[in-house]
Amino acid sequence: MTATRAAVEADTGLAAAIESAGFVRVLARADGDAVAASGLLARALADRAIPYQVSVAPTVADRTARLESDGDDVTVVVGDGPESGHRLAPEGPATPRACELVADLGSEPEPILALAGAAAAGIDPESGELARLRESTVDDGLIEPRPGIATPTDATDALAHTTLCRGPWSGDSDAAESLVEAAGGEPTATASAVAIDAVGGEASRRAAHAVERVLRPARIAGDHPFATVEGYADVLRALARTAPGLGVALAAGDPGRVREAALETWREHGRRAHAALDRGATRRYDGLVVVETDDAVEAVARIVADYRSPEPTVLAIDGENGEAALATTEARPLGEPLAAAAKELGAGNAYDAGPRRGYLRIEGDRDAVVTAVRGTL
């Protein structure tokens, strides 16, 4: 039995409950992996003509409240939530588990969406849980790994707006265009220039590893709305936090119908994240870097963890908007530490955790948030 199969069968009645349901509600945590997983499940439900609704609930408290008011209909929680509900992936990546559930329902997971969800979860494409799916997708000619830049559109657009990497061109379309032009528009030369920029200046030692995920993307064949699997994942990740309804429409429906709106939201998210990082102030502790910022806390935390932090874990705090986010480069669950920190801060279940990420609603003193998080890591 595979790890993903075991994870799905932990809730042995889930497939049977779905098949007999008159209506299925799917509540997803607010990250690209969970939104992709929800889209895979929604497509399987549509195949079986089972009515459904998919929505994104950004904290455990939000999902718990919606579950408790859902009556007798079947509710699937993609992420952590109350044990009384059907939970898919309460810890760890959701996309592989959704693929197993979809198979249990007699459908085939949409391969490009599944690979994008895996990329959003940070799963290694060649040795991770969906490596066989990727291999078959390559063999079928649906994707082609090749040198270049992970992007939903083109290299210039990606360098200016992606949160997958950080360099002097981040948030600056003119600087991004200049780099691509200097490389003659050639994918390998562009990738080499990006690699050099990403590890220079203030970059941490981890930057060299992080940028590898950007430099050999899986290009999507045919007339798919997005250019690469990793670029698709980048869009899903941005929408999950800033426009979750649009993210659900992208994952569960025809992505071509919402492509332009999705791309504009992705661009705006990237501009805001890099601008917020430019304005941010950092403090270093043993094992933790704290970034005080005023926007896009999850993206800021992830960028700093991948490209700037000398410590493995980053806490980004936006006191004005009452949000904090954790990102880590370590393979460690963050659910329990965040639950403990939320309890200490009196925030109840107003937290969430996914693969290498976490989110916390906060009130009051920022130093109290730092103390609570440091004490639970």
Side-chain angles (χ1 to χ4, degrees), residues 35-239:
V35 169
S38 299
L40 292 168
L41 177 55
R43 291 164 185 256
L45 295 172
D47 288 345
R48 301 181 73 83
I50 299 174
Y52 68 88
Q53 178 190 49
V54 179
S55 59
V56 175
T59 69
V60 173
D62 294 327
R63 294 192 288 275
T64 301
R66 295 190 196 183
L67 178 66
E68 292 175 348
S69 63
D70 280 340
D72 295 330
D73 294 325
V74 170
T75 299
V76 180
V77 176
V78 183
D80 197 5
E83 294 184 2
S84 58
H86 294 286
R87 298 189 299 169
L88 183 71
E91 291 186 0
T95 297
R97 300 179 187 185
C99 288
E100 295 284 0
L101 178 58
V102 166
D104 286 345
L105 293 171
S107 295
E108 291 290 331
E110 201 288 308
I112 304 301
L113 176 61
L115 293 176
I123 296 173
D124 188 302
E126 297 183 355
S127 63
E129 292 176 284
L130 295 186
R132 289 186 180 179
L133 175 63
R134 176 184 168 91
E135 182 179 354
S136 66
T137 307
V138 171
D139 291 343
D140 291 341
L142 298 178
I143 63 172
E144 180 187 358
R146 62 171 68 170
I149 301 298
T151 178
T153 54
D154 57 47
T156 298
D157 208 8
L159 295 180
H161 302 114
T162 186
T163 58
L164 293 175
C165 58
R166 172 77 171 176
W169 17 259
S170 295
D172 186 338
S173 295
D174 291 338
E177 184 177 6
S178 295
L179 182 146
V180 175
E181 289 180 349
E186 202 279 319
T188 301
T190 300
S192 297
V194 169
I196 292 171
D197 281 351
V199 301
E202 300 176 351
S204 67
R205 288 179 295 178
R206 295 185 185 87
H209 174 72
V211 77
E212 290 179 1
R213 300 194 299 265
V214 183
L215 300 182
R216 188 172 173 79
R219 184 157 294 276
I220 304 172
D223 59 353
H224 194 276
F226 301 112
T228 70
V229 167
E230 296 80 3
Y232 189 4
D234 200 21
V235 173
L236 286 169
R237 187 184 291 113
L239 298 185

